[in-house]
Every structure is written in C-alpha cells, then in structure tokens.
Amino acid sequence: MPKVGMEPVRKKQLIEATLDVMAEVGYHGTTISLISKKAGLSSGIISHYFGDKQGLIEATMRHLLDALKITQRIDDPLARIDFIIENNFSQTQGASSATNTWFNFWALSLHNENLHRLQCINHKRLERNLAFSYRQLVQPEHVSRAASSTAAIIDGYWLRYSMGSVGNGDFSQAVSRCKEHVRNYITLYPKKD
C-alpha cells in the first residue's frame, strides 16, 4: 500500500479550515492566522503550499468545484442529468461552510480575475454536461436552451434554498423541482427518432 505524504493531508486541513473560517467571519475577516489556528498548523505552511491568502482561497474554490465533477460513468442521459442536479444540491455543496464560501466566491469574482475565471469554467462545465445529456433527449434546436435554463434553475434554487428564504436548508424540494423542469422540457421537445 503506497504511503501518503503529509502535503495532501495538510492542504486538505487548510482548505477545510478556510471553509470553516470563511463561514464564521466572511472573506474580509478571514486571515492566514485564523486559518492556521483552525487547522492547527503554522501560518508559514500556507505560504509554503499556496503562496498567500488569495492562493488558498482559489484552492478552496477549486476544491468545491472538483466536488461537482462527474466521476462515474452514467450511460442513461436522464439519470446523468438527475445526478448532476443531485450533486449540485449534495451535502458538500449545501453545508453552511460551503454555502458561505460560495456566496463570498460569487461576490469576489466580480473583482478578481482568477476567481471570475473559475466561476466561468464552472458555469460552462455545468451547461456542457447538461447539453451532452440533452442531445440524446430533445430536438437538436432545443439542446442549448434546455441546458442553459436547467443550469439557471439549479443556480436559482440553490441560491434561494441556501439563503434559507425557502426550505430552511432542506434541498429535497429544490431537487424535485429541477427534475420536474427537466422532464417537462423533454416532454415538450422530445427527440424524434
């Protein structure tokens, strides 16, 4: 069995500590000192692994984005879309530390080129993954609209439910409504054989 080095373990500790600290005090209150204290590691290790606070914030966002990747093969196109929806509302994405970090990320991406680039990558990947499945389910001229509207509905419900305006943090209704949208779209514009 291969031996795992300390670097991945420490990086994970620092990323998890960053999620917790940002959830507690927001981006502007987040400091290297608070993160290192939460992780139980020296502040110098952040500079060693990530360069600075901004590098650690970007690594934390990549961590959240990686959790959205499809890591298993799903041949059925509707099951694949369902998986994408469920993954966007998973415990990882719905945890208070993750939601607070996402809110900070969206706000910061308006003024930070690297975070904006990550947000664009995430948005394009979501639409591309949805379009891949929709190509097998709806008429070709409706694929792009189906993918973009589904992505917007996922983001909108995630935002509403994360903020607690509806659902009180329970995403089950949001997941059901997103899936209902998908099925309505497929019924309206079914792919012709």
Side-chain angles (χ1 to χ4, degrees):
M1 187 169 176
K3 193 174 182 181
V4 177
M6 285 307 295
E7 182 175 339
V9 173
R10 287 183 177 146
K11 283 184 174 181
K12 186 172 189 259
Q13 280 178 279
L14 290 166
I15 286 169
E16 288 172 354
T18 303
L19 285 167
D20 290 341
V21 171
M22 284 184 75
E24 292 166 13
V25 299
Y27 172 78
H28 294 295
T30 298
T31 64
I32 287 177
S33 175
L34 285 174
I35 294 167
S36 61
K37 185 176 180 181
K38 178 71 84 173
L41 298 168
S42 75
S43 57
I45 203 126
I46 293 174
S47 297
H48 177 71
Y49 290 141
F50 302 102
D52 58 12
K53 174 183 164 181
Q54 191 58 39
L56 179 53
I57 298 296
E58 289 172 21
T60 302
M61 290 319 309
R62 280 192 294 277
H63 167 77
L64 289 175
L65 293 172
D66 284 346
L68 293 173
K69 287 182 179 174
I70 298 172
T71 56
Q72 58 191 346
R73 182 178 170 148
I74 305 171
D75 293 324
D76 178 82
L78 186 56
R80 192 171 193 270
I81 292 174
D82 285 349
F83 176 84
I84 292 167
I85 291 168
E86 290 163 8
N87 200 27
N88 273 271
F89 292 99
S90 69
Q91 283 186 328
T92 302
Q93 300 303 322
S96 63
S97 59
T99 58
N100 287 342
T101 304
W102 274 115
F103 292 142
N104 281 288
F105 171 59
W106 285 332
L108 292 168
S109 70
L110 296 172
H111 310 288
N112 181 292
E113 189 178 325
N114 287 337
L115 292 178
H116 181 72
R117 183 182 56 78
L118 288 174
Q119 182 187 21
C120 289
I121 288 169
N122 181 51
H123 179 73
K124 287 176 185 173
R125 183 175 63 196
L126 175 59
E127 285 198 11
R128 192 173 53 246
N129 283 331
L130 290 165
F132 176 81
S133 294
Y134 270 122
R135 273 188 209 93
Q136 301 169 63
L137 298 166
V138 299
Q139 298 161 25
E141 63 271 23
H142 293 282
V143 169
S144 178
R145 192 177 334 149
S148 63
S149 69
T150 303
I153 285 171
I154 289 170
D155 286 345
Y157 275 126
W158 186 91
L159 184 62
R160 289 179 69 202
Y161 279 72
S162 294
M163 292 182 72
S165 56
V166 289
N168 296 319
D170 176 10
F171 288 122
S172 58
Q173 264 193 343
V175 170
S176 295
R177 289 176 180 172
C178 289
K179 289 180 179 182
E180 182 181 348
H181 166 79
V182 171
R183 281 149 181 82
N184 287 341
Y185 216 100
I186 293 167
T187 301
L188 282 171
Y189 308 106
K191 186 171 184 178
K192 296 179 173 86
D193 294 325

